[in-house]
């Protein structure tokens, strides 16, 4: 670690529909401010152009609030950090260009950060003593992937979803059931009163020997079940059972694949991160499994599971410590949507490239 560490960083995250800024010092979070844009609710999903416009309006007040809550002035900052990929290109560009402008004005280094790397290392926010290597399951609205993590910048992608992400499955099923957007929290709430064995929902790729996932079939099975059993609409009293059955299928696939990776990698520590890691059934199932199998489980608190800028600041701090501030004086980087979907990204080499 450099003699100047711990560094104080202002981090900015605008990859989707959350405008977020945080101040971190080392692995400590001094402030973590988030505005979840509500404008999208009426449309049942994120409208990219509306998200970009909302970021433009919100970014300055959110950054000011993050500095004020941390009691840190601009002159106290050692560096900036910003999410560059993956995400909605218009949204990312707002954060990246704002951060670049600030870097020029304050003459500060700026660390570009991969959003997924942020989710993976949110385990370090929860547990600053977390040691490498560890297994990371990232389950969010856009991604579902297992990584073997040897260090910051040294990750191996073991497998990822071939179609929908787990969060997308929650959201699409919720939309079929008329539960609004985002659907994960609504399904989680209703499932607490339901029977997880009431409806037969498929467990896609459960027996497949790879670490890949597939969740698009869950939405299809719910759609055909609704057409067959409830052509006139789902009676409200059925919703808890349906939600519990869908949730149980998603959680079982995530858990069983992760446990197989634990065995294969001889992992002693598992981090589960991303928005779906907020799911209460998933948290309970992983906690039970960790106790039974004897591995250490790091489940970030809910505010670190959902999109946030503290996780971006933390990754940037680790990179600054390893490479030094001079490495981050270039402003030539840009935003990129870069999805984690195509098969060639499943090679270890591509995974490293993906997370640079
Ligand atoms: N309690 C919950 N149960 C299940 N899913 C949940 C819960 N809370 C949030 N989610 C899901 O988490 C997702 C949002 O997570 P997150 O903000 O990490 O995703 P994203 O940033 O949109 O995608 P990505 O990180 O892949 O770019 C949504 O799909 C939402 O439904
Ligand atoms: Mg995210």
């Amino acid at each position: 670690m450099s003699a100047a560490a711990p560094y104080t960083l202002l981090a900015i995250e605008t990859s989707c529909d959350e405008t977020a800024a945080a101040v971190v010092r080392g692995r400590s979070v001094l402030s973590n401010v988030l505005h979840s844009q509500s404008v999208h609710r009426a449309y049942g999903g994120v409208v990219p152009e509306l998200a970009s416009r909302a970021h433009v309006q919100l970014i300055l007040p959110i950054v000011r609030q993050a500095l004020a809550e941390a009691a840190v002035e601009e002159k106290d900052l050692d560096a900036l950090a910003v999410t560059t990929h993956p995400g909605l290109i218009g949204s990312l560009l707002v954060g990246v260009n704002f951060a670049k402008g600030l870097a020029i004005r304050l003459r500060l280094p700026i660390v570009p950060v991969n959003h997924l790397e942020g989710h993976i290392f949110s385990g370090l926010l929860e547990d600053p003593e977390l040691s490498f290597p560890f297994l990371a399951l990232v389950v969010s609205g856009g991604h579902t992937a297992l990584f073997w993590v040897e260090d910051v910048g040294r990750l191996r992608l073991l497998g990822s979803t071939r179609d929908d992400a787990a969060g997308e499955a929650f959201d699409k099923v919720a939309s079929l059931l008329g539960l609004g957007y985002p659907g994960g929290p609504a399904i989680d709430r209703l499932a607490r009163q339901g029977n997880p064995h009431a409806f037969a929902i498929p467990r896609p790729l459960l027996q497949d020997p790879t670490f890949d996932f597939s969740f698009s079939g869950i939405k299809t099975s719910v759609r055909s079940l609704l057409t067959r059993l409830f052509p006139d609409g789902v009676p409200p009293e059925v919703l808890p059972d349906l939600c519990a059955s869908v949730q149980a299928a998603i959680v079982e696939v995530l858990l069983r694949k992760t446990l197989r990776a634990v065995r294969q990698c001889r992992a002693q520590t598992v981090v589960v991160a991303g928005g779906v890691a907020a799911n209460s059934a998933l948290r309970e199932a992983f906690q039970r499994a960790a106790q039974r199998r004897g591995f250490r489980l790091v489940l970030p608190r809910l505010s670190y599971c959902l999109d946030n800028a503290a996780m971006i600041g933390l990754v940037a701090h680790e990179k600054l410590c390893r490479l030094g501030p001079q490495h981050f004086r270039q402003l030539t980087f840009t935003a990129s949507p870069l999805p984690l979907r195509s098969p060639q990204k499943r090679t270890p080499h591509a995974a490293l490239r993906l997370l640079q």
Side-chain angles (χ1 to χ4, degrees), residues 232-245:
D232 300 324
V234 197
E237 63 276 14
V238 174
L239 281 177
D241 284 351
L242 206 42
C243 289
S245 302

Side-chain angles (χ1 to χ4, degrees), residues 115 119 140 307:
H115 179 80
H119 278 307
S140 58
D307 285 351

Side-chain angles (χ1 to χ4, degrees), residues 115 119 140-143 167 170-171 182-185 188 274-276 278-279 305-307:
H115 179 80
H119 278 307
S140 58
H143 297 88
F170 273 107
D171 293 337
D188 191 349
V276 179
N279 183 267
C305 286
L306 299 169
D307 285 351

